[in-house]
């Protein structure tokens, strides 16, 4: 049982030729200032998890927003949101006391919001922040929130305020860094992360830096400049 966008996205990851996918990623990371050697290391080994997962079934049941799903003796209303992934499924019980909130919310960690190499101008952070407002329309504060990571928790509204503040703070870090002069996403990584990430994580953290930069560009707070195939972000 999946949303259609998630199913098709997973199929594309599974069957898109690795040579072609590698070229897309190579172009993306090099354009954001990553050196050639580290880029090649990431392209070769950055998606090893794909080979540790079972293949996707060729038949699935599509879940659609605002439809009902019966599990055991309980009925749930299907909700879909974007940001962390294209069309993530969440489930709200008909008694409104349980909310399966997937990876959109967790009591301590913030979900990874990352621009994808095949959607380089994307703004997933806007989608994510919008999703928090959409979930709030369900008034889920009394519900037990069941996340995909960590422990179940209560207190949706307070956690949302913490998450909004977290992303605003990190976007502010990127904006302040670019106020000192144009920066590539690779250069912004050192402002966002105290320890330099190793090759295993470098692709994820650069994608996250691009997320904040793209978001600020769409808000008119940064501009995007490309010269010699390298993209830099600057205060307009």
């Amino acid at each position: 049982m999946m949303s259609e966008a998630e199913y098709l996205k997973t199929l594309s990851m599974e069957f898109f030729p690795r040579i072609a996918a590698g070229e897309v990623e190579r172009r993306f990371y090099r354009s954001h200032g990553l050196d050639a050697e580290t880029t090649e290391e990431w392209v070769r080994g950055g998606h090893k998890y794909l080979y540790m997962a079972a293949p996707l079934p060729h038949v699935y049941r599509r879940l659609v927003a605002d439809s009902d799903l019966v599990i055991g003796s309980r009925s749930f209303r299907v909700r879909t949101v974007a940001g962390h992934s294209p069309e993530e499924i969440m489930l709200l019980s008909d008694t409104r006391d349980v909310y399966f909130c997937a990876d959109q919310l967790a009591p301590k960690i913030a979900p990874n919001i990352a621009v994808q190499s095949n959607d380089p101008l994307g703004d997933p952070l806007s989608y994510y922040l919008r999703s928090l407002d959409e979930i709030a329309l369900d008034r889920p504060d009394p519900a037990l929130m069941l996340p995909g990571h960590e422990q179940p928790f209560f207190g949706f509204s307070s956690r949302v305020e913490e998450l909004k503040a977290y992303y605003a703070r990190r976007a502010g870090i990127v904006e302040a860094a670019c106020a000192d002069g144009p920066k590539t996403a690779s250069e912004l990584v050192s402002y966002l992360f105290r320890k330099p990430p190793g090759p295993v994580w470098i692709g994820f953290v650069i994608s996250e830096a691009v997320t904040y930069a793209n978001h600020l560009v769409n808000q008119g707070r940064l501009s995007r400049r490309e010269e010699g195939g390298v993209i830099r972000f600057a205060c307009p």
Side-chain angles (χ1 to χ4, degrees):
M1 293 185 283
M2 298 179 72
S3 64
E4 184 173 54
E6 302 263 306
Y7 184 76
L8 295 176
K9 170 73 173 179
T10 311
L11 275 184
S12 71
M13 292 173 68
E14 186 173 346
F15 293 109
F16 194 51
R18 281 309 304 161
I19 292 177
E23 187 53 42
V24 169
E25 292 200 314
R26 188 176 290 111
R27 190 182 312 119
F28 177 78
Y29 289 108
R30 294 289 286 138
S31 74
H32 286 293
L34 189 62
D35 65 89
E37 182 179 351
T38 308
T39 296
E40 291 306 315
E41 195 168 355
W42 168 259
V43 170
R44 288 196 306 268
H47 294 285
K48 289 180 179 177
Y49 68 90
L50 290 175
Y51 305 104
M52 296 185 244
L56 196 69
H58 293 160
V59 176
Y60 80 112
R61 176 179 171 185
R62 181 185 177 189
L63 299 182
V64 180
D66 295 325
S67 60
D68 292 320
L69 177 67
V70 175
I71 303 175
S73 60
R74 304 192 69 166
S75 179
F76 294 85
R77 178 57 57 95
V78 175
R79 297 288 192 244
T80 60
V81 290
H84 175 68
S85 63
E87 193 184 4
E88 191 165 20
I89 293 290
M90 303 187 305
L91 302 173
L92 174 64
S93 66
D94 57 352
T95 50
R96 309 183 80 82
D97 61 340
V98 172
Y99 209 134
F100 286 90
C101 54
D103 288 353
Q104 290 296 101
L105 292 157
K108 294 181 181 178
I109 62 172
N112 174 254
I113 313 295
V115 169
Q116 302 298 304
S117 58
N118 61 351
D119 182 21
L121 301 182
D123 184 8
L125 183 55
S126 285
Y127 306 149
Y128 178 76
L129 295 173
R130 188 187 312 156
S131 81
L132 298 179
D133 294 333
E134 292 170 353
I135 299 169
L137 296 177
D138 286 326
R139 299 181 179 176
D141 268 305
L144 175 65
M145 308 297 290
L146 298 175
H149 298 276
E150 301 182 319
Q151 300 297 314
F153 67 99
F154 290 100
F156 164 81
S157 293
S158 59
R159 183 57 181 145
V160 163
E161 291 308 309
E162 291 172 353
L163 286 166
K164 286 183 176 181
Y166 169 81
Y167 290 114
R169 184 168 61 250
R170 290 178 71 76
I173 290 171
V174 168
E175 186 175 19
C178 294
D180 290 336
K183 299 285 190 303
T184 65
S186 294
E187 291 169 330
L188 290 170
V189 166
S190 63
Y191 293 85
L192 289 167
F193 299 92
R194 276 174 266 178
K195 292 183 179 180
V200 173
W201 296 102
I202 191 66
F204 294 110
V205 296
I206 288 179
S207 295
E208 185 176 335
V210 179
T211 292
Y212 294 113
N214 282 4
H215 183 65
L216 291 166
V217 168
N218 285 347
Q219 291 186 328
R221 293 162 61 185
L222 289 183
S223 63
R224 183 187 292 105
R225 305 174 183 175
E226 184 171 353
E227 185 177 348
V230 176
I231 297 168
R232 288 181 172 83
F233 299 93
C235 286

